[in-house]
Amino acid sequence: MISQLSWKIGGQQGEGVESTDRIFSTALNRLGYYLYGYRHFSSRIKGGHTNNKIRISTKPMRAISDDLDILVAFDQETIDLNAYELRTGGVVVADAKFNPTLPEGIDARLFPVPITSIAEDLGTSLMKNMVASGASWALLGLPLEVFNKAVEEEFGRKGPAIVEKNVEAVKRGADFVLELAGGPLEDFRLEEADGKQKLFTIGNENIGLGCVAAGARLMAAYPITPASEIMEYLIKKLPKFGGTVVQTEDEIAAVTMAIGANYAGVRTLTASAGPGLALMMEAIGLAGMTETPLVIVDTQRGGPSTGLPTKQEQSDLNAMVYGTHGEIPKVVIAPASIEDCFYDTIEAFNVAEQYQVPVIIMTDLQLSLGKQSCEALDYDQIKIERGKLVKDAPPLEDNKLFKRYEFTEDGISPRVLPGEKYGLHHVTGVEHDQEGRPSENSVNRLKMMDKRLNKLNNLYIRDGLRIDAPHETPDLLIVGMGSTGGTIDEARLRLEKDGLSTNHITVRQIHPFPTEQLTPYLEKAKQVLVIENNATAQLASQIKMHAGYGEKIRNLLKYDGNPFLPSDVYKACKELN
Amino acid sequence: MATFKDFRNNVKPNWCPGCGDFSIQAAIQRAAANVGLEPESLAVISGIGCSGRISGYINAYGLHGIHGRALPIAQGVKLANRELTVIASGGDGDGFAIGMGHTVHAIRRNLDITYIVMDNQIYGLTKGQTSPRSAEGFKTKSTPEGSIESTLSPLEIAMSAGATFVAQSFSSDLKQLTSLIEAGLNHKGFSLINVFSPCVTFNKVNTYDWFKENIVNLEQFPDYDSSNRVAAMNKIMETNGLLTGLIYQNKERKPYEELVSGFRPEGLANQDIQLSREDFEKLVAEFK
Ligand SMILES: Cc1ncc(C[n+]2csc(CCOP(=O)(O)OP(=O)(O)O)c2C)c(N)n1
Ligand code: SF4
Ligand SMILES: [Mg+2]
């Protein structure tokens, strides 16, 4: 019996790769397995090789595996491109239609199944996905009833005849492959899972849910990979809560519309990727200067320019931290797990209102789009904190305006919303006095700058650093961010077996940088390895700039468009020691 | 009930003496009072330029944003609280150069906002460069030999973008301007009011006298039907855009707010945002 396994389905974009994966993993999820998915796709909608890979495990496992156990191929190209990943003794289930062959030197079992012709026999080649997933399921020796339940759920709306056809497709795929293989593969028998169905979702949807929970009721956005799922989720959900999503003409409109809506009192977000973030920069400065709460999600993808729009990267850190002209307070939060995507979104809205600043939620493509198991989300942790928002302000002295930018001890001023009877004030991106009126007075200027820039002095979000430090003085401290945590932890297990002691810190509060909290761990580590998906070591630069320890810090960088594999991390750590 | 004086504040505008923008400020204040607004129920969102300062000179909620983005900000405000009356305002550069994309799409979207453009055919604040509204051959600091680009017709663009309210006025004609702003405020949907507002400092061609000589008032055409889209377009072309009055109004089309699925009549900002446990559980269950 094995406790984990990797499965991949590949073919041409648009021929059912996604749906095969969806139905197969939904059924696995019903059995209680932990799943972690990775989508390899390109910007084309039809045509071009695409594949989805999932990790199936009895324990939480949040990394793509180094190798592959089962490859399901809709075409020869899938085999040619992916066979090298197969472990010795792996399996290829391929459509018999194209007379599949294995490349030379690949030691795997090949099961040609007439996927297309079974589907066509049943009426439509669209059912290829059922045949393929049914065959995969049967090879693993998993209970067919559970799979059929999943099929029923997927097609129930379309009526019993459709369900029946699909169930039949599954059965024929299963029967055919079992005949070829002589029964389920004994070496691929998974230990039983806990039977508890997990949440199975993507980061973008958890962000969407986090928005609804946080009380966000408006979103303004312009579509872009890999952010669009957030708006697509919210346009389905917000109307029920009185809100809506506006697809704007560009990201400048999106962010400024969000600023207007936040100014008027509705928690509003925008979401984009690097190209859109670049367009938002001037407006982010306006939010900072006018102390207007604002939440922006940046789902990072391969840059620069259009770069690798459907590939993994973490290269917008500098843009998020330094972007916009002049100097403003700003927060950058980097969720590091699927659950974080939910909780951090709520926190982002709270921080934005409590500190009256723009907050950027930084994800990366793998975290935003990789479908994976998610722990139960806790309703009781949803807290809406609106900071110094004043309702029913008392009357003001004659001709006086509300001191929207009043100097206070913590630099945060009371805020009223338009519509408030005694709250009139002015808001401008021009330097202004306490009532918001333009002012070039240099004494006022200094006080206002200091007020704004010192607001975040004491900010430390929930798990600003996620610390896993079992060793007092580890051989190695590994530091990462975003989606890389699971990969790093998997490599650490192997390193521990080799006798190398490691601590792992995930930086979740990217800006303002949590220097004080990180320093003791840097101090005690013999060496530090900073792991990030970019070419210029942007996270490592933050650490060196704020905390020092440059002499101990080494980099592991990957910017070929692919997420790190556990073996990448393992090798890099071994090479250091 | 508020009077126009309640919309005055004690801030002295930094416009040059004689600038057309003064009358526009006065007209907004009068119109606001005439349609029965209270200062706290009005939000004036403006862009950057000499004209953009307007939001600071009216006693109401005001936001002076960034160059060219008054409209998306204003739309955000309106979406967040449809109980507010929202006026967006700015210069011809603000709305028809850097912000042109937003202007067209705000027109298409048709949220209930009144957009007042203070059109002086030049960039005032940056001290006299050409604008999309400058005439061909117009000499400015950035076009020393005269502008060689065609003049943009915001009225025609608005019409073709599906505008539901298009008007034009002249800042000297306080009476007409005030009544057009009132009509814009009363219109349910997006209203564009382009106002010729002479820049006495940098535009020595399109002066008060020049406008008096060249513009025609639609009142001269008693048969003019402002609900006829074709007639409106023809009139704009016939007069080369130098006309004033209510050019077009479509009272049939509903504003955006009324078309958004699930949108309630009370301002979103005033609604409860707490998610119930039951709704939360339902949403989470979809991830299973
Ligand atoms: C992004 C950006 N680019 C340029 C400027 C400089 N700028 C300020 S106002 C303005 C144009 C002003 O012309 P207009 O909008 O017609 O207003 P007016 O001053 O004539 O009322 C320019 C170019 C700016 N503030 N922001
Ligand atoms: S420069 Fe022109 S537009 Fe600006 S205030 Fe002076 S007259 Fe008015
Ligand atoms: Mg101008």
Side-chain angles (χ1 to χ4, degrees), chain A residues 183-233:
Chain A
L185 303 172
E186 284 313 313
D187 50 339
F188 280 12
R189 265 207 198 267
L190 276 165
E191 284 165 15
E192 226 169 278
D194 62 12
K196 284 193 210 117
Q197 195 173 339
K198 318 276 178 298
L199 301 181
F200 184 46
T201 180
I202 60 173
N204 280 353
E205 290 193 338
N206 266 12
I207 289 172
L209 179 64
C211 289
V212 179
R217 292 295 175 262
L218 290 171
M219 175 182 194
Y222 190 80
I224 191 169
T225 302
S228 299
E229 292 76 10
I230 302 173
M231 74 186 290
E232 288 161 9
Y233 178 85

Side-chain angles (χ1 to χ4, degrees), chain A residues 282, chain B residues 21 48-52 67 90-95 98 118 120 122-126 131:
Chain A
E282 187 195 8
Chain B
D21 295 352
I48 300 292
C50 295
S51 46
H67 192 32
D92 46 321
D94 201 75
I98 191 167
M118 302 152 95
N120 54 12
I122 197 148
Y123 284 11
L125 189 70
T126 45
S131 132

Side-chain angles (χ1 to χ4, degrees), chain A residues 29 197-201 205-206 209 212-215 217-218 233 237 239-250 252-253 256-257 259-267 282-283 286 290 342 377-380 382 384 386 391 399 401 416-430 437-438, chain B residues 8-11 38-43 45-46 48 53 55-57 59-67 69 71-81 84 98 101-103 105-106 109 111 256 260-264 268-288:
Chain A
N29 186 43
Q197 195 173 339
K198 318 276 178 298
L199 301 181
F200 184 46
T201 180
E205 290 193 338
N206 266 12
L209 179 64
V212 179
R217 292 295 175 262
L218 290 171
Y233 178 85
K237 304 303 168 204
K240 178 162 188 280
F241 303 100
T244 192
V245 174
V246 182
Q247 180 177 326
T248 54
E249 54 274 23
D250 59 30
I252 299 177
T256 47
M257 200 176 281
I259 289 171
N262 275 295
Y263 156 72
V266 173
R267 290 186 158 196
E282 187 195 8
L286 175 70
T290 58
F342 172 74
L377 299 173
D378 183 4
Y379 178 78
D380 294 319
I382 304 171
I384 295 178
R386 305 200 67 173
K391 286 260 158 83
N399 271 335
L401 293 182
V416 285
L417 304 180
E420 180 78 36
K421 174 100 180 120
Y422 301 112
L424 290 188
H425 63 272
H426 190 51
V427 173
T428 172
V430 175
R437 295 223 164 118
Chain B
R8 284 187 184 160
N9 60 18
N10 52 9
V11 182
E38 296 295 327
E40 68 272 14
S41 66
L42 173 65
I45 313 300
S46 61
I48 300 292
R53 286 289 182 128
S55 59
Y57 304 150
N59 194 47
Y61 281 93
L63 193 157
H64 176 227
I66 46 179
H67 192 32
R69 319 299 169 196
L71 281 175
I73 296 174
Q75 291 170 86
V77 173
K78 187 69 187 179
L79 283 166
N81 190 348
L84 296 171
I98 191 167
H102 306 311
T103 302
H105 292 284
R109 215 167 270 130
L111 271 134
Y256 187 90
V260 176
S261 147
F263 225 52
R264 299 170 194 155
L268 200 42
N270 301 325
Q271 295 174 26
D272 182 25
I273 57 172
Q274 199 71 46
L275 184 66
S276 72
R277 188 180 292 269
E278 193 194 343
D279 283 333
F280 175 73
E281 298 299 345
K282 264 193 226 152
L283 290 170
V284 168
E286 290 175 13
F287 290 160
K288 285 204 171 151

Side-chain angles (χ1 to χ4, degrees), chain A residues 20 25 56 66 94 114 126 147 186 202 216 252 268 310 358 417 468:
Chain A
T20 309
S25 39
I56 307 155
D66 292 316
L126 283 178
F147 198 91
E186 284 313 313
I202 60 173
I252 299 177
T268 304
T310 62
L417 304 180
D468 178 10

Side-chain angles (χ1 to χ4, degrees), chain B residues 14-16 18-21 50-51 120 124-125 198-202:
Chain B
N14 62 359
W15 293 319
C16 310
C19 174
D21 295 352
C50 295
S51 46
N120 54 12
L125 189 70
C199 168
V200 294
T201 307
F202 294 110

